[in-house]
Amino acid sequence: MSQDSATATEAARKLTGRRRREVVAVLLFSGGPIFESSIPLSVFGIDRQDAGVPRYRLLVCGGEEGPLRTTGGLELTAPYGLEAISRAGTVVVPAWRSITSPPPAEALDALRRAHEEGARIVGLCTGAFVLAAAGLLDGRPATTHWMYAPTLAKRYPSVHVDPRELFVDDGDVLTSAGTAAGIDLCLHIVRTDHGTEAAGALARRLVVPPRRSGGQERYLDRSLPEEIGSDPLAEVVAWALEHLHEQFDVETLAARAYMSRRTFDRRFRSLTGSAPLQWLITQRVLQAQRLLETSDYSVDEVAGRCGFRSPVALRGHFRRQLGSSPAAYRAAYRARRPQGVAESAATVVETMVPSQGPPSGRRGSPLPSAPVVLTASVGSGDHSLPGPEAFVPGRPALPGQRSAP
């Protein structure tokens, strides 16, 4: 889209008189997960003016006939129907029940009409599939949970899916990754509407970092998209995962698939939502993480066992994806690991220190932050996660953590 046409489009989409940005409609469907659905309800539906958070008006709308069945068999009754969307300047779709089935046509029409009249449209996690089905993501950058990104890219090839981002702000249409990233995007909306102080006050009430840097790369695993199982590329991808310790490049994978590099790149991106080179680097970094956590190999040896051509290459990619050097990552992991707990009985959860730089998303680049590895042990009373005091202003920060603003 050219700059002139984009400007004209924006001008044509100014909010109509009956729509105001602080009126937020949350569109719920039967079968949606209750956790994701509750995020915008908590952010925009609770009066926190005593904490300095400007008030929003919340309209909870049923996207189809109720009652709406959700996680655990609970039934919900939405106080409003689709007609209430006509009053909202912000419309949030927090989740969709199936990434392979089409949403109700009436709901899609309501979203298109809201967008045409200047409303800001937000899709959290699988809610991006509803926005895509309405055609609101055509030709736009977007994200969703990394596990569903390949399906989104395959079902809607005109959408520029980026599985690395926590959220993407494309002006009047915004999308986020999984559950916690939905909170990130909602905080970003509050920050956009009312400034940093309001977003920071809300973050403290929610006991979450006001900003997270980095993306989804550190949460990716080695699993393959469901759709790739019967595809000819499945064997090539499986081979790559089994031979990460060897030095090979994308040309090698294309040759194994009997394709030109250009054709292979296109087919691979359509199936996985990622460029093959970026996918391969991510898999090598993930393998390096595992070896740093579970072995005593030196960093140089880890680099060789993960297919990097040199330790310098490993360090560069590791820092870009995780914000830390391999040696610092290993030291932090071992320092936090509970003593006397078997390796298989520990779940490592990595989070990033709140950054003062721009949030992850299309607008701006995050400042680098040092990662803190937090370990929650299974069957143990030691859960080394920061408590609410970690985000209270004026309270000293935990070791390795910045003070809250």
Side-chain angles (χ1 to χ4, degrees):
M1 181 182 296
S2 69
Q3 183 174 357
D4 291 341
S5 61
T7 302
T9 301
E10 287 298 322
R13 287 177 180 163
K14 288 182 179 178
L15 280 175
T16 59
R18 67 178 180 273
R19 293 183 184 272
R20 301 177 65 183
R21 281 284 172 94
E22 62 268 24
V23 178
V24 180
V26 176
L27 189 57
L28 300 181
F29 297 97
S30 188
I34 194 168
F35 192 0
E36 284 80 353
S37 300
S38 69
I39 289 172
L41 306 185
S42 178
V43 171
F44 301 112
I46 298 177
D47 186 355
R48 298 186 177 91
Q49 294 181 89
D50 62 319
V53 182
R55 186 174 185 177
Y56 287 85
R57 183 185 176 195
L58 181 69
L59 304 175
V60 182
C61 306
E64 54 196 336
E65 290 295 324
L68 308 177
R69 186 175 294 273
T70 185
T71 309
L74 298 176
E75 290 188 346
L76 305 177
T77 301
Y80 299 96
L82 288 171
E83 71 284 349
I85 292 179
S86 64
R87 290 181 273 157
T90 301
V91 182
V92 183
V93 184
W96 172 237
R97 61 174 167 264
S98 171
I99 62 175
T100 58
S101 63
E106 296 82 0
L108 299 182
D109 288 340
L111 288 172
R112 294 188 195 102
R113 188 161 51 251
H115 184 248
E116 289 169 359
E117 295 180 356
R120 174 174 53 191
I121 312 296
V122 182
L124 308 182
C125 194
T126 53
F129 284 81
V130 180
L131 273 59
L136 301 183
L137 298 181
D138 289 352
R140 290 178 177 265
T143 193
T144 187
H145 192 294
W146 60 264
M147 190 166 59
Y148 306 130
T151 304
L152 183 64
K154 183 177 181 180
R155 287 179 62 84
Y156 303 100
S158 61
V159 181
H160 305 311
V161 181
D162 190 342
R164 299 169 297 176
E165 299 290 358
L166 291 177
F167 65 82
V168 172
D169 179 346
D170 196 44
D172 56 351
V173 177
L174 304 89
T175 52
S176 80
T179 304
I183 301 176
D184 293 325
L185 180 50
C186 288
L187 285 172
H188 171 72
I189 291 172
V190 174
R191 186 180 301 109
T192 300
D193 290 348
H194 302 292
T196 301
E197 287 190 16
L202 176 57
R204 289 191 289 273
R205 280 296 181 94
L206 297 175
V207 198
V208 296
R211 299 176 189 260
R212 287 196 299 162
S213 63
Q216 296 191 73
E217 291 98 331
R218 58 188 180 277
Y219 304 111
L220 301 175
D221 68 13
R222 291 166 59 105
S223 60
L224 304 179
E226 293 179 5
E227 294 82 357
I228 205 173
S230 58
D231 191 274
L233 285 187
E235 183 178 348
V236 176
V237 173
W239 180 90
L241 292 173
E242 292 298 324
H243 293 78
L244 289 175
H245 59 284
E246 300 177 11
Q247 290 185 13
F248 59 87
D249 53 21
V250 177
E251 281 75 11
T252 302
L253 299 181
R256 292 188 67 87
Y258 301 101
M259 296 179 183
S260 68
R261 171 65 188 269
R262 178 176 295 182
T263 300
F264 180 79
D265 282 3
R266 185 175 64 252
R267 292 281 296 119
F268 192 94
R269 186 183 289 275
S270 70
L271 283 170
T272 69
S274 175
L277 179 59
Q278 182 58 50
W279 178 86
L280 182 58
I281 292 172
T282 297
Q283 299 306 317
R284 294 195 190 283
V285 170
L286 287 169
Q287 180 69 359
Q289 279 185 273
R290 297 185 186 97
L291 291 179
L292 290 168
E293 294 170 1
T294 60
S295 77
D296 291 322
Y297 294 129
S298 68
V299 172
D300 288 12
E301 290 174 318
V302 168
R305 290 175 179 270
C306 296
F308 288 104
R309 297 187 183 278
S310 71
V312 173
L314 167 61
R315 292 184 179 95
H317 290 301
F318 201 95
R319 183 174 291 279
R320 276 190 289 274
Q321 289 197 22
L322 300 176
S324 170
S325 69
Y329 178 88
R330 169 179 274 170
Y333 175 84
R334 292 184 174 180
R336 293 278 181 171
R337 186 174 58 187
Q339 296 297 319
V341 178
E343 191 74 40
S344 60
T347 300
V348 177
V349 181
E350 183 187 21
T351 186
M352 301 299 293
V353 177
S355 169
Q356 301 299 320
S360 176
R362 190 165 181 256
R363 311 274 186 209
S365 302
L367 293 176
S369 301
V372 178
V373 178
L374 307 178
T375 304
S377 60
V378 179
S380 167
D382 180 13
H383 299 282
S384 306
L385 302 175
E389 66 275 5
F391 304 107
V392 176
R395 186 73 59 87
L398 295 176
Q401 183 181 44
R402 297 177 183 173
S403 300

